[in-house]
Amino acid sequence: MIHLIKLDGKNIFQFTIDGKVDETGMAAMYQIFKEHSKDSKISLMAIIKYFDGFDHVKTLIQGLKADFMAICKIDKDAVVTDETWIKKWKKLEIF
C-alpha cells in the first residue's frame, strides 16, 4: 500500500510504503508526476515501513512508467527506512 500526502510548500510530497504496492498507489504516484511537475520540479520523501513487492505485474509496469517520468522531474528526494532496507538497496546500488 502507498499512502500519499502533499506537504507544506510548493510541490513537496511524502509517500509511505507499508506492504504490497497496488495499482491504485502507483496510479496516484504517476498522477503526481504528471500534474505537479509541469512548471517546476518536485521534491519527494519516501518512508518505507515494509515493502512486500507488487500485487501483480501490471502494477510493476505502471511503477516503471512512473519512474521513467520522474527521472528528470525530481528536484530533491529522501528515503527514510531502517538499516535492513538500506543494506538491501545498497547491494542494488540504488544509493
Side-chain angles (χ1 to χ4, degrees):
M1 176 175 90
I2 295 179
H3 176 72
L4 292 158
I5 59 171
K6 185 171 186 329
L7 301 176
D8 291 338
K10 185 178 180 183
N11 288 344
I12 303 172
F13 298 89
Q14 172 186 307
F15 67 96
T16 303
I17 298 175
D18 191 9
K20 283 193 183 282
V21 175
D22 60 12
E23 190 174 351
T24 303
M26 288 311 313
M29 290 290 293
Y30 181 77
Q31 281 304 115
I32 285 174
F33 294 134
K34 187 175 177 182
E35 293 175 9
H36 294 278
S37 61
K38 290 178 183 174
D39 300 324
S40 63
K41 294 187 176 194
I42 62 174
S43 296
L44 292 175
M45 181 171 72
I47 299 173
I48 303 172
K49 291 183 177 180
Y50 177 68
F51 177 64
D52 192 26
F54 297 93
D55 64 348
H56 52 75
V57 176
K58 187 175 180 182
T59 304
L60 175 61
I61 292 169
Q62 192 162 16
L64 292 172
K65 185 177 168 183
D67 288 344
F68 285 121
M69 179 182 276
I71 288 172
C72 62
K73 298 186 181 209
I74 296 176
D75 182 35
K76 297 178 184 176
D77 63 353
V79 177
V80 180
T81 190
D82 63 14
E83 184 179 353
T84 304
W85 281 107
I86 296 294
K87 286 180 180 179
K88 289 178 183 180
W89 284 26
K90 190 169 178 116
K91 286 180 185 178
L92 296 173
E93 296 184 22
I94 291 174
F95 292 109

